[in-house]
Amino acid sequence: MFAKIIDGKKISEELRLETAKKIKNRKEGLRAPGLAVIIVGDNPASRIYVNNKKKACEACGITSYEYALSESTTEQELLSLINELNNNTEVDGILCQLPLPCHIDENKVIDAISPEKDVDGFSPVNTGNLLAGKPCFAPCTPAGVVEMLKHESIEISGKHCVIVGRSNIVGKPAALLMLQENATVTVCHSRTKNLKDMVKQGDIVIAAIGKANFITADMIKEGAVVVDVGINRLESGKVTGDVDFEEVSKIASAITPVPGGVGPMTITMLMQNTLSAWERFS
Ligand code: NDP
């Protein structure tokens, strides 16, 4: 069997066009949605992510406001900026690019973002609402995974979804979102025993580990759907996922590539969350 390759780039383009259309057709006199993006320091990967987010905003008709702060910015200065943005009526969404320099407490920063503007979906209020199954901003990466599966008409209800990784930004929220879609969910991590046997039970496998080619073909059940969240930069400069794409695609029924899979969907969901934040205010 050769897996269907789920083209996250193409799905993203379609969804971004829909978002752009909604914004373009807004009521006369209504301002466009606004997204404030804060970046602290000069982490090259963060700079690439922020630039991609700005480009996506432009394509959708969202006004982006960039706040590029120096590495020496204090926690208090950052918290004051967030407070200002919380009160800025032109700004619907606020995102602070992570990771932050070590002298700044990331949790304090995330907590300071008003839940109504927390389009990354990391604040305790949004996390709590996600857990309770209430309306919320879901974290963009796992939300993008679910959106992709739905777009491809892949059945989730009743399926066994095995997630490898339990981070707050990917693994845990992915588990909650898949539960909401009525999957039976298993979450694996670095202390999981018999990982191979666990993963092999998955009808849907979501890999969010951060280790290149970690999920190999012998871990995958014939016909499973494999979603690769990982982004790993090899010494050669090549970017690869957590899944051995070449071998696993001979076993799986559908698979997401890296690049061009979950990555573009993450930014698309950020655009959708910003649109939702704006719709609530407008
Ligand atoms: P974290 O490092 O926060 O979490 C990694 C998880 O993998 C942990 O739960 C860890 O377990 C688990 N893990 C590590 N080693 C093993 C192992 N040997 N066996 C089983 N589980 C293991 O990473 P993130 O969740 O933030 O990101 C995961 C990957 O996804 C990264 O490559 C990241 O770059 C990528 N990513 C991609 C995004 C996108 O837009 N496509 C967005 C966000 C992340 P434990 O908890 O026990 O340590």
Side-chain angles (χ1 to χ4, degrees), residues 40 43 46 75 78-79 82 96-113 118 120 122-124 168-169:
V40 186
N43 179 328
S46 293
E75 187 177 279
L78 181 55
L79 293 174
I82 290 174
C96 189
Q97 187 64 47
L98 303 178
L100 290 168
C102 308
H103 64 278
I104 299 178
D105 181 342
E106 278 184 6
N107 284 327
K108 264 197 201 165
V109 171
I110 291 168
D111 289 1
I113 298 174
D118 168 36
D120 253 342
F122 294 160
S123 76
N168 289 341
I169 61 167

Side-chain angles (χ1 to χ4, degrees), residues 141 165-167 169-170 189-190 208-211 214 229-231 263 266:
T141 301
R166 58 171 165 178
S167 71
I169 61 167
V170 189
H189 46 79
S190 66
I209 308 152
K211 293 189 171 157
F214 185 86
V229 178
I231 301 177
T266 297

